[in-house]
Amino acid sequence: MTDSIELAELADQILDIAEDNYDRLSSIIDDLDDEVKNELLVSDFLHAFQVFYYYFRMDPSEIVIDRLMLQPASSLEKGVFIENFDIFELWFIIEDNNGIIYVSDGEKILKKFSGRKAYTEAVEYADSLEW
């Protein structure tokens, strides 16, 4: 486990190098030691959109970006609501060091998606559901 001061300093260095370029940020995170990377991706030193971009390498809708930018990455261990499709909800969560998008009906998880296309697949799935 990395000391929180060391992790904060590392995050500051990474963010300084990457500036506001999420591709550069993701590339730098890719090169980190797995243990440090996994700690950083659920820390208070990144916001949830930076982690979303790291896992999926895409820009979702503006409302999703705004919601994720307002949440620290540490909230991803429990999950962050990102979008509605009728009565269905999309959530972003980190499970077993993987970025997961899941679709819920508000009571239970209907389906989970992982991998680079997880968000797109989850949106298509939620959009196809009928209630």
Side-chain angles (χ1 to χ4, degrees), residues 67-120:
R67 285 182 179 135
L68 290 169
M69 285 183 132
L70 293 173
Q71 295 294 322
S74 61
S75 63
L76 295 171
E77 290 181 302
K78 293 183 180 178
V80 173
F81 166 77
I82 56 175
E83 197 163 9
N84 270 344
F85 287 86
D86 292 320
I87 64 166
F88 305 104
E89 302 172 342
L90 266 57
W91 288 76
F92 176 38
I93 190 168
I94 303 295
E95 287 183 354
D96 300 321
N97 301 319
N98 290 307
I100 307 288
I101 303 291
Y102 70 82
V103 179
S104 170
D105 65 1
E107 295 180 17
K108 65 182 182 290
I109 296 172
L110 303 174
K111 194 162 184 175
K112 293 182 179 185
F113 298 87
S114 63
R116 292 268 194 245
K117 297 183 180 184
Y119 176 75
T120 304

Side-chain angles (χ1 to χ4, degrees), residues 37-51:
K37 175 187 346 180
N38 294 332
E39 288 179 37
L40 183 62
L41 292 172
V42 292
S43 73
D44 286 331
F45 306 119
L46 298 178
H47 56 67
F49 177 67
Q50 291 165 321
V51 178

Side-chain angles (χ1 to χ4, degrees), residues 3 8-9 16 38 50 55 59 69 84 108 116 123 131:
D3 179 272
E9 290 171 353
D16 283 345
N38 294 332
Q50 291 165 321
Y55 281 108
D59 290 320
M69 285 183 132
N84 270 344
K108 65 182 182 290
R116 292 268 194 245
V123 167
W131 52 285

Side-chain angles (χ1 to χ4, degrees), residues 2-15 40 43 45:
T2 308
D3 179 272
S4 63
I5 293 172
E6 292 174 344
L7 197 59
E9 290 171 353
L10 175 64
D12 283 343
Q13 290 172 354
I14 291 170
L15 294 170
L40 183 62
S43 73
F45 306 119

